[in-house]
Amino acid sequence: QVQLLESGGGLVQAGGSLRLSCAASGRTFSSYAMGWFRQAPGKEREFVAAISSGSTTIYADSVKGRFTISRDNAKNTVDLQMNSLKPEDTAVHYCAMSASRLRLGIKVSEYGYWGQGTQVTVSS
């Protein structure tokens, strides 16, 4: 059974930084792409960043240049370093594992396993 556990959310002022971490278990972590998504109140869940098994990365335009996704296959973790945070980054942030070994996707439907989410709140 796959388990994803996020940590590192919190409250920060605009311009500040947070680092989210996700610990995975129950599957061969190194074989699958990992992603971060977020969902603000009243909005659909949206793509933030993803990293392939070979560490190729993709980002949403809204976070490009501010966020960095990384993975440690030895520790089965994926991190999201968030810098220059803005109030519009406020959302519950979710870690996700790809449903397929071969895909590095940006769609919610391409990810088969999800964490419980961690709240990120950016005050202005």
Side-chain angles (χ1 to χ4, degrees), residues 47-61:
F47 171 75
V48 175
I51 185 167
S52 72
S53 58
S55 294
T56 297
T57 58
I58 51 175
Y59 296 93
D61 287 344

Side-chain angles (χ1 to χ4, degrees), residues 37-74:
F37 290 74
R38 65 189 182 188
Q39 188 166 18
K43 295 188 177 181
E44 292 187 353
R45 192 168 297 189
E46 65 175 9
F47 171 75
V48 175
I51 185 167
S52 72
S53 58
S55 294
T56 297
T57 58
I58 51 175
Y59 296 93
D61 287 344
S62 60
V63 307
K64 204 170 293 183
R66 300 188 297 124
F67 291 10
T68 302
I69 188 171
S70 60
R71 67 189 298 159
D72 185 334
N73 288 336

Side-chain angles (χ1 to χ4, degrees), residues 11-22:
L11 172 64
V12 66
Q13 288 188 332
S17 298
L18 282 175
R19 188 176 184 90
L20 305 184
S21 187
C22 173

Side-chain angles (χ1 to χ4, degrees), residues 39-124:
Q39 188 166 18
K43 295 188 177 181
E44 292 187 353
R45 192 168 297 189
E46 65 175 9
F47 171 75
V48 175
I51 185 167
S52 72
S53 58
S55 294
T56 297
T57 58
I58 51 175
Y59 296 93
D61 287 344
S62 60
V63 307
K64 204 170 293 183
R66 300 188 297 124
F67 291 10
T68 302
I69 188 171
S70 60
R71 67 189 298 159
D72 185 334
N73 288 336
K75 296 181 179 179
N76 287 3
T77 58
V78 57
D79 291 351
L80 185 69
Q81 178 66 42
M82 305 184 294
N83 299 329
S84 303
L85 283 161
K86 304 175 181 180
E88 50 263 44
D89 294 317
T90 295
V92 177
H93 284 64
Y94 296 90
C95 170
M97 179 178 281
S98 176
S100 166
R101 287 176 182 260
L102 300 178
R103 298 191 68 83
L104 177 61
I106 65 172
K107 297 179 181 179
V108 170
S109 60
E110 294 176 299
Y111 289 81
Y113 301 93
W114 295 83
Q116 83 288 348
T118 185
Q119 177 70 45
V120 171
T121 302
V122 184
S123 63
S124 57

